[in-house]
């Protein structure tokens, strides 16, 4: 069969629709956990490979972390945290930048479960602009007290998605994982 015949006879596949619910979130968690563990194993055993090989594996880790955050966290409860007084959806952001989460996962500092549940927050576009202006979009001065990077935003108050106002200067990554699970 020629390429033209195959293309001409092709029928669009019907994959069906997925309903976002506890089952789909559980399946997503299971599959992405397996993929991340597979990629981490390949990365850790690739020390003698070309740098591009390792870069592509890191890209795969980034992809699956972002896919989980966008599907499960955004789909289930929108974000872990939210700026008090936000009148729209705001900007969804990783409070500890994703590349740092990825690197801590690769280094074994975070577990897969902790990386999948890394802190996310919705903040205003103006406050996101303040982070950008202060070069804090891809960096953070403190991963333990992770809201430290919001010190450049005057008067910002943060609450959890279940409406608990947090004490930013005292809220640690441990507090986050105790509140939200690992």
């Amino acid at each position: 069969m020629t390429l033209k015949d195959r293309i001409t006879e092709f029928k669009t596949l019907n994959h069906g629709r997925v309903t976002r619910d506890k089952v789909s979130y559980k399946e997503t968690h299971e599959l992405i956990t397996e993929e991340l563990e597979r990629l981490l194993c390949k990365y850790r055993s690739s020390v003698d490979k070309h740098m591009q090989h390792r870069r592509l594996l890191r890209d795969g880790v980034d992809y699956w972390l972002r896919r989980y955050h966008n599907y499960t966290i955004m789909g289930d409860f929108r974000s872990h945290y939210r700026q008090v007084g936000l009148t729209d959806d705001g900007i969804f952001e990783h409070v500890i930048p994703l590349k740092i989460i990825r690197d801590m996962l690769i280094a074994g500092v975070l577990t897969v479960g902790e990386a999948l549940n890394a802190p996310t927050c919705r903040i205003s576009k103006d406050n996101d602009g303040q982070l950008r202006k202060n070069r804090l979009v891809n960096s953070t001065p403190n991963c333990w007290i992770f809201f430290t990077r919001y010190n450049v935003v005057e008067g910002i108050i943060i609450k959890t998605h279940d409406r608990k106002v947090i004490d930013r200067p005292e809220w640690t990554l441990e507090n986050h994982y105790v509140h939200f699970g690992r």
Side-chain angles (χ1 to χ4, degrees):
M1 183 179 275
T2 67
L3 174 60
K4 180 180 179 184
D5 292 337
R6 294 191 317 260
I7 297 299
T8 304
E9 292 178 17
F10 173 73
K11 304 287 186 237
T12 301
L13 301 175
N14 180 359
H15 298 286
R17 295 190 52 83
V18 174
T19 302
R20 287 184 185 226
D21 59 16
K22 296 297 179 199
V23 172
S24 67
Y25 295 137
K26 182 178 184 285
E27 288 176 349
T28 300
H29 185 271
E30 289 170 355
L31 183 120
I32 290 177
T33 296
E34 288 174 15
E35 282 301 303
L36 285 171
E37 288 172 350
R38 182 183 67 80
L39 289 168
L40 290 170
C41 183
K42 285 182 70 100
Y43 186 86
R44 290 173 183 148
S45 66
S46 69
V47 291
D48 60 338
K49 299 287 185 180
H50 190 273
M51 292 302 290
Q52 175 63 4
H53 181 89
R54 293 171 64 86
R55 170 75 256 174
L56 292 171
L57 292 171
R58 286 192 309 274
D59 288 348
V61 172
D62 285 339
Y63 170 80
W64 286 112
L65 287 172
R66 192 171 301 280
R67 179 70 175 123
Y68 183 84
H69 296 159
N70 288 344
Y71 183 83
T72 302
I73 292 172
M74 286 179 70
D76 193 7
F77 50 88
R78 308 287 296 140
S79 63
H80 294 97
Y81 304 95
R82 184 176 179 88
Q83 174 185 330
V84 171
L86 192 61
T87 57
D88 58 15
D89 261 357
I91 304 292
F92 176 88
E93 74 127 12
H94 294 91
V95 186
I96 300 171
L98 189 61
K99 72 176 189 170
I100 297 172
I101 294 295
R102 179 209 59 214
D103 287 349
M104 287 194 294
L105 175 61
I106 288 171
V109 173
L110 293 178
T111 66
V112 170
E114 289 165 340
L116 291 176
N117 205 20
T120 62
C121 188
R122 289 190 175 277
I123 60 174
S124 70
K125 291 178 181 150
D126 288 343
N127 288 339
D128 183 63
Q130 284 298 312
L131 293 176
R132 288 182 188 288
K133 179 180 167 188
N134 287 280
R135 300 176 187 246
L136 291 170
V137 172
N138 294 317
S139 67
T140 185
N142 192 331
C143 290
W144 183 244
I145 302 174
F146 54 91
F147 280 118
T148 299
R149 62 196 284 266
Y150 286 13
N151 289 350
V152 299
V153 179
E154 192 173 322
I156 190 170
I157 299 170
I158 302 295
K159 64 181 176 180
T160 62
H161 77 85
D162 55 357
R163 295 180 171 71
K164 174 186 167 117
V165 175
I166 59 130
D167 182 8
R168 281 189 309 107
E170 300 297 323
W171 194 257
T172 66
L173 196 55
E174 184 70 27
N175 296 131
H176 170 78
Y177 288 127
V178 166
H179 189 82
F180 292 102
R182 294 175 198 255

